[in-house]
Every structure is written in C-alpha cells, then in structure tokens.
C-alpha cells in the first residue's frame, strides 16, 4: 500500500484525452470487499438510474447490458483497491460482474488497482504494471 496505485489511476481517469475517448467514466472503490451483487448494483445505478426497480442479480445484469448496448457507450470502469476475494471460487463472481460489460462498445476498458499480484494475474487480460515505492533518502 501507499505506492501510488490510486493516485496514478486518478491521473489517468482525469486525463483530458481519456475523458474525450470514453463516453461514460465510472469509478468504484472496492476496498470493502468484492460483493458482485453490491458492485453490480452500484454500476447499474451509474448506467441506468431511472430503470432501477429491483436488486435481483439477473435484472441488474439486464439493466447493465441494455443500458450499455442501447446507448452504445464506450465505457471506462475503474475498480480501485480490488482485494483477493475477487478471485474466490475460480473468479466466478468476477466473471459474473464483467459479463454485461462484454457488450460495451469496442474500446471500452476496465482498469483495476490492487495490492495483490494474484489478483492482477487472475483478473487482467492485458499486461499488468507493478509500482514500487521510491527509496527513502535522508
């Protein structure tokens, strides 16, 4: 912790070229643990607030899929501080959470920050970047 993962993600998120490229930018902090239903609900509220009538998992997935497909949005989703519980049960919850995002417009991205090498390996599809703290010099 404390090497600048979140700070770097904030800089990317706020970069003008990034904001111009994506139609929809969403930031979700996952520090409290990976609860796919809770995270999907937060994401659904971001995408389709007016359609939220229930928190049934299947309904949330449909809202997300329809909201993203219908508007053909290019989405940047930042999941900050993902913990190891995202990888439990062979990443089943992670895969369910991402399922609706597969229908997003080409060029959409999910950026994950985590302290755990295992999480980066299991959830990532691109090469992950390791940040190391700067040595202290007195």
């Amino acid at each position: 912790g404390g090497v600048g993962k979140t700070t770097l993600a904030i800089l990317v998120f706020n970069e003008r070229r990034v904001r111009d490229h994506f139609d929809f930018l969403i930031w979700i902090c996952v520090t409290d643990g990976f609860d796919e239903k809770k995270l999907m609900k937060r994401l659904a509220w971001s995408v389709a607030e007016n359609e939220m009538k229930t928190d049934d998992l299947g309904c949330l997935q449909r809202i997300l899929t329809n909201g993203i497909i219908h508007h053909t949005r290019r989405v940047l989703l930042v999941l900050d501080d993902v913990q190891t519980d995202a990888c439990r049960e062979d990443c089943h919850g992670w895969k369910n959470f991402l399922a609706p995002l597969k229908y997003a417009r080409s060029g959409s991205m999910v950026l994950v920050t985590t302290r755990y090498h295992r999480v980066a390996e299991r959830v990532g599809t691109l090469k992950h970047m390791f940040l190391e703290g700067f040595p202290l010099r007195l």
Side-chain angles (χ1 to χ4, degrees), residues 26-47 52 55-57 60-61 64 77-83 85-88 93-98 100-101 110 112 123:
I26 304 163
W27 184 287
I28 299 176
C29 187
V30 194
T31 304
D32 295 337
F34 193 88
D35 179 335
E36 77 179 276
K37 187 174 180 181
K38 206 184 268 187
L39 292 172
M40 201 170 291
K41 188 173 183 179
R42 288 171 63 189
L43 183 57
W45 272 105
S46 299
V47 173
M52 291 295 295
D55 65 352
D56 173 71
L57 193 56
L60 292 173
Q61 286 179 321
L64 288 173
L77 171 61
V78 176
L79 296 173
D80 185 35
D81 201 17
V82 176
Q83 305 295 309
D85 57 350
C87 297
R88 71 176 175 256
W94 174 257
K95 293 171 188 173
N96 281 342
F97 175 73
L98 288 184
L101 296 171
V110 177
V112 173
V123 304

Side-chain angles (χ1 to χ4, degrees), residues 17-133:
R17 291 176 294 171
V18 170
R19 292 196 163 272
D20 290 345
H21 176 76
F22 294 100
D23 304 304
F24 208 59
L25 292 96
I26 304 163
W27 184 287
I28 299 176
C29 187
V30 194
T31 304
D32 295 337
F34 193 88
D35 179 335
E36 77 179 276
K37 187 174 180 181
K38 206 184 268 187
L39 292 172
M40 201 170 291
K41 188 173 183 179
R42 288 171 63 189
L43 183 57
W45 272 105
S46 299
V47 173
E49 183 177 341
N50 296 334
E51 298 178 39
M52 291 295 295
K53 306 276 191 272
T54 181
D55 65 352
D56 173 71
L57 193 56
C59 182
L60 292 173
Q61 286 179 321
R62 281 190 301 281
I63 287 169
L64 288 173
T65 301
N66 292 339
I68 292 172
I69 291 173
H70 177 68
H71 299 288
T72 60
R73 296 175 174 158
R74 194 171 317 164
V75 177
L76 171 62
L77 171 61
V78 176
L79 296 173
D80 185 35
D81 201 17
V82 176
Q83 305 295 309
T84 56
D85 57 350
C87 297
R88 71 176 175 256
E89 299 174 19
D90 197 32
C91 296
H92 180 73
W94 174 257
K95 293 171 188 173
N96 281 342
F97 175 73
L98 288 184
L101 296 171
K102 292 178 182 176
Y103 299 99
R105 184 174 164 192
S106 178
S108 293
M109 295 289 260
V110 177
L111 184 130
V112 173
T113 70
T114 183
R115 297 176 184 204
Y116 305 98
H117 184 263
R118 179 173 178 244
V119 172
E121 287 179 335
R122 300 286 307 271
V123 304
T125 57
L126 300 174
K127 184 177 179 188
H128 40 273
M129 180 186 329
F130 292 99
L131 300 180
E132 295 181 22

